[in-house]
Amino acid sequence: MPVFPATSPASSNLLPLSIGPLRIGFPVVQAALSGYSDLPMRVLARRHGASYSVCEVMLDQFLLAIGERRKTQHFLAIADEEHPVGGQLMGAEPEQFAAGAERLAAAGFDVIDINFGCPVKKVLGRCRGGFHLSQPDVALDIIRRTRDIVPAHLPVTVKMRRGIDDTDEARENFFRILDGAIEAGVAGVTVHGRTVAQRYIGPSRWSFLAEVTRHVAGRISVLGSGDLFSAADCLRMIAETGVDGVTVARGAIGNPWIFAQAQALAAGEPLPPPPSLPEQAAVIREHFRLIEQIYGPERAPLLMRKFAIKYSASHPQHETVRLRVVRLRSAEELWQVLEEFYATGEGQYPPEGIHRSQEE
């Protein structure tokens, strides 16, 4: 199995990623990111080399109630250029969950992804997300109902953490759910190397991903998640664990270039230099225009703020730029920042650890 050094070029014989009958391509893809991976972020990721992306997680109750209002219709918006794209779903009750999955399929998503990984306290308190890893019977009921109601040609996948905690019972529950999911017909599983109890504290245990890969033995596709903040991280996870692909979460916010960088390393080319400041400015403008198209000019500046903060990590004066964009309230203010800070000069790779305290 090839090993990809963290600081030197590497070549590989990476196999293209497939999820069931769906051929994805290069096996570094964009993860679902609550509050972030909307249509503009997904489109930019695709334009910069991501072969697949997943929408921000949606609640089954919300999906069943969503109407055609401009304020909410963006949740189900899909651009022609971003196929294949996954729709991720979260909920508590199996029957309602399946109905939400049916709505996602009808909206045009190419893969339906079941979220059993979210560690946020308010989600766990409502018996959603990662909570299901503590109740295998309910989890498997959700999986079976979802697979039954989603059209047969659409793959169903599951996002999991390595357990609710590090007890023996949690480990047994994880593999019971995994084996039951395979039996029910899921096409793939994404595994995050932390437990639900860990949330985002401490390192992701990549050795567990290798164990899952051996356990699955090619029956379904396995994607790895956790601590992927550079192109080298992505290829190293594949090399060390044998997963079929990786999903980049926090490392892709404000950093769509990570996908092309990973492709270059995988092809045996040198790591591309970080995008110059004018190149960054062009992408930020493009991102803002996409947000305007989806949400309207009134909402766009405030929605762009959280992304502008993430983009600032690639600026050599990132703290100064961050303090400017954190107060962003208008398009004019954004253009002023770009003119003042992004007109000329070289960029940088986001400093190591800058995203590690932020939730994915």
Side-chain angles (χ1 to χ4, degrees):
M1 185 177 294
V3 175
F4 304 98
T7 58
S8 62
S11 61
S12 81
N13 55 351
L14 287 182
L15 296 176
L17 174 66
S18 294
I19 300 178
L22 189 64
R23 184 181 174 88
I24 300 297
F26 188 69
V28 178
V29 306
Q30 183 188 281
L33 285 149
S34 183
Y36 286 98
S37 58
D38 57 0
L39 184 148
M41 182 178 176
R42 298 193 310 263
V43 165
L44 282 174
R46 295 304 301 272
R47 290 177 182 176
H48 287 81
S51 55
Y52 173 67
S53 62
V54 187
C55 75
E56 53 187 316
V57 64
M58 285 182 266
L59 185 63
D60 53 6
Q61 292 176 341
F62 172 77
L63 274 174
L64 297 178
I66 195 171
E68 299 299 324
R69 294 185 303 149
R70 182 178 180 85
K71 190 173 182 179
T72 56
Q73 64 183 349
H74 67 274
F75 284 102
L76 295 177
I78 302 172
D80 291 341
E81 66 185 279
E82 64 171 322
H83 291 286
V85 59
Q88 190 178 91
L89 187 63
M90 182 167 64
E93 300 297 329
E95 185 173 354
Q96 185 170 259
F97 198 107
E102 186 176 34
R103 182 75 191 272
L104 282 181
F109 289 96
D110 303 292
V111 177
I112 307 302
D113 190 46
I114 298 171
N115 185 311
F116 288 166
C118 182
V120 176
K121 289 182 179 179
K122 66 180 180 180
V123 170
L124 303 178
R126 294 170 180 166
C127 303
R128 300 168 179 157
F131 181 84
H132 289 300
L133 297 179
S134 68
Q135 49 177 11
D137 289 336
V138 176
L140 290 174
D141 193 12
I142 286 173
I143 292 171
R144 294 183 188 110
R145 287 174 182 263
T146 299
R147 179 61 280 180
D148 286 346
I149 204 168
V150 170
H153 70 281
L154 295 183
V156 171
T157 58
V158 183
K159 168 67 182 292
M160 304 169 70
R161 285 186 167 232
R162 73 169 193 261
I164 195 76
D165 53 32
D166 268 326
T167 62
D168 290 341
E169 180 183 9
R171 175 184 169 83
E172 292 173 5
N173 286 344
F174 175 92
F175 283 103
R176 181 182 167 196
I177 294 169
L178 177 60
D179 288 338
I182 295 172
E183 184 179 345
V186 303
V189 60
T190 299
V191 181
H192 185 108
R194 292 185 180 90
T195 66
V196 174
Q198 272 186 276
R199 301 188 71 218
Y200 306 96
I201 300 171
S204 175
R205 190 179 296 173
W206 288 11
S207 60
F208 185 78
L209 305 182
E211 185 178 355
V212 171
T213 302
R214 291 192 297 269
H215 181 87
V216 167
R219 291 177 289 168
I220 61 172
S221 297
V222 179
L223 289 88
S225 173
D227 290 349
L228 299 174
F229 298 102
S230 70
D233 290 339
C234 298
L235 302 190
R236 185 167 58 86
M237 176 180 277
I238 295 173
E240 290 184 6
T241 69
V243 293
D244 299 295
V246 297
T247 64
V248 187
R250 288 174 289 171
I253 307 174
N255 185 26
W257 304 280
I258 192 172
F259 301 104
Q261 291 164 1
Q263 288 192 17
L265 282 184
E269 301 170 2
L271 179 67
S276 68
L277 297 183
E279 289 171 335
Q280 293 180 38
V283 172
I284 293 171
R285 290 191 182 94
E286 185 180 11
H287 198 150
F288 185 80
R289 284 193 291 268
L290 288 167
I291 289 178
E292 275 191 318
Q293 292 171 14
I294 296 298
Y295 300 95
E298 298 81 11
R299 299 178 64 195
L302 291 182
L303 292 171
M304 184 65 196
R305 179 192 293 171
K306 61 187 176 184
F307 290 103
I309 291 170
K310 306 295 185 180
Y311 279 114
S312 71
S314 295
H315 196 290
Q317 302 176 54
H318 64 91
E319 185 60 25
T320 301
V321 176
R322 187 188 71 82
L323 290 174
R324 284 287 298 274
V325 297
V326 78
R327 299 189 296 270
L328 189 67
R329 292 186 176 274
S330 69
E332 290 72 24
E333 290 178 355
L334 177 61
W335 307 145
Q336 184 177 353
V337 168
L338 294 181
E339 182 177 345
E340 183 175 349
F341 291 99
Y342 287 86
T344 186
E346 299 303 315
Q348 67 173 17
Y349 296 111
E352 184 177 354
I354 195 168
H355 296 306
R356 293 180 189 272
S357 62
Q358 299 159 357
E359 294 186 352
E360 74 178 296

